[in-house]
Structures are given as C-alpha cells and as structure tokens.
Amino acid sequence: MAHIPDGILSMPVLITGAIASTGLLAIAIKKLDHDKIPPAAVLAAAFFVSSLVSVPAGPSSVHLILNGVMGILLGWTALPAILVALLMQSLFFGHGGLLTLGVNTFNIALPALLVGWFFRPRIVNATPKQIGIMGSVAGGLSVLMTAILIYLSLTVTGQEYQVSGKIIAVTYLPLMIVEALISGVILSFLMKVSPDLLKS
C-alpha cells in the first residue's frame, strides 16, 4: 500500500506533506526538461497501471511503484509525473485521497529524486551489466525509503498507528525484491535499445 488513504493522518502531517510536496514541485517545474516529457508520460502511465494491480501480502497488499526507475530516467521530472498519476488514481479509483495527495507524493517522489541524484551520474559510463546491478539496487532502495516514509507518516500521527506502520513496512520486503529485479531488467533493456535515454 503506497497510498495512505484519507481520514488516517493527523492535520499537521497532512499540512507538512502538502508543503513539502509543493516546495519540491516548485523546484521540479523550474528544472523541467521538456525532452523528458514524453518518457515522463509513459512512465506515469506505467506507474498508474501497475499501482492498480495489488498483490495480497499478509494483512496488507503491495503493488509495483517504479519510483527508482522514474528517478533515474526522469530526474526532477519524476515528481510531476508521480503527482499526476497519484491524482488520477485518487479521482478515478479512490486510491489514496485528495487530502493525503501531498504526503503520498512526497513519500514516493523523494526516494525517486534521491535515487536519481545518486545513480544517474554513475550510469553515464557504466556497462549494461553494471547498469542492471545499479538499477536493481536503486529499485529496491527506493521502495525501502518509501516504506520508511510511510511508517514515519503513520507513527507521527499517533501511537495507535505504530503497529499498522510496522506491518506495512514488513509487507514491503518482498516488494523490494521484486521491484529490484524488475528495475534492473528495465534499465538493462533500455541500455540496449535506447542508450540515449539513460545517458542524455
């Protein structure tokens, strides 16, 4: 569950998430690379669709996030892409909610930005095998960071959500493995068919 639904988080957490996401979005718009808009649209659609397919994992459910791949391929453009996808999920399918849109965006986009910032420069001169390994690490790491942020969002709201936060964090462990494998495959494939997308 990458989306925290409306009605759970406290008002201070909601406001903080909204302010943080708005600040990051303002930076992202200033840094917007128009050449990345087409791949951003494709990845936002992939994120939108993959998030609709939930797999039961204990008391919760998980789905692909792909924020590691988005961060590496899009950089700052990943943030508006994630925001648009989350907004569409909320409006059309009721996933998450409008009140938690800021928190959910921050929890998914910040790991994408950090992973992109760290791994993107290292991919430029990497071999396809190295890119696959880095993609796997980036994919797993971004999911881990999202799980930690969701846990913190819930536990800061109140002690009654600490158990739920821990359960959700644990259910992300198998997702980390799957996301790592898929992210590595995606980036290795892109290196073979469209290296300019990775090295531009």
Side-chain angles (χ1 to χ4, degrees):
M1 182 179 70
H3 312 86
I4 300 175
D6 281 344
I8 291 180
L9 299 179
S10 65
M11 191 58 66
V13 174
L14 293 174
I15 293 173
T16 301
I19 292 172
S21 292
T22 301
L24 289 176
L25 183 62
I27 298 172
I29 291 174
K30 288 183 179 179
K31 293 179 175 287
L32 187 64
D33 184 350
H34 295 283
D35 292 335
K36 293 188 183 298
I37 291 178
V42 172
L43 286 169
F47 172 79
F48 175 77
V49 172
S50 65
S51 295
L52 297 178
V53 182
S54 296
V55 178
S60 183
S61 62
V62 296
H63 55 75
L64 291 177
I65 306 174
L66 301 177
N67 53 342
V69 172
M70 295 178 77
I72 289 175
L73 293 178
L74 302 177
W76 280 97
T77 311
L79 199 146
I82 290 170
L83 174 62
V84 169
L86 287 175
L87 179 61
M88 291 176 62
Q89 288 174 6
S90 176
L91 293 175
F92 295 131
F93 299 101
H95 289 197
L98 295 178
L99 291 177
T100 56
L101 183 61
V103 174
N104 287 330
T105 299
F106 183 82
N107 290 347
I108 297 173
L110 180 62
L113 295 174
L114 293 175
V115 162
W117 167 78
F118 183 81
F119 285 98
R120 179 82 184 191
R122 290 160 175 78
I123 282 178
V124 175
N125 297 314
T127 65
K129 182 178 180 180
Q130 290 172 332
I131 288 175
I133 293 172
M134 286 190 285
S136 294
V137 173
L141 187 59
S142 61
V143 171
L144 174 62
M145 288 189 286
T146 294
I148 292 171
L149 289 172
I150 291 174
Y151 170 76
L152 292 175
S153 299
L154 290 170
T155 54
V156 168
T157 291
Q159 291 185 343
E160 63 271 23
Y161 292 109
Q162 286 185 357
V163 174
S164 298
K166 290 177 181 178
I167 291 173
I168 291 172
V170 170
T171 60
Y172 268 67
L173 293 177
L175 177 62
M176 281 176 55
I177 298 172
V178 174
E179 188 102 16
L181 293 173
I182 291 177
S183 298
V185 169
I186 289 174
L187 292 179
S188 294
F189 176 75
L190 289 176
M191 180 60 187
K192 294 177 182 178
V193 300
S194 183
D196 291 341
L197 190 60
L198 287 171
K199 299 190 175 186
S200 60

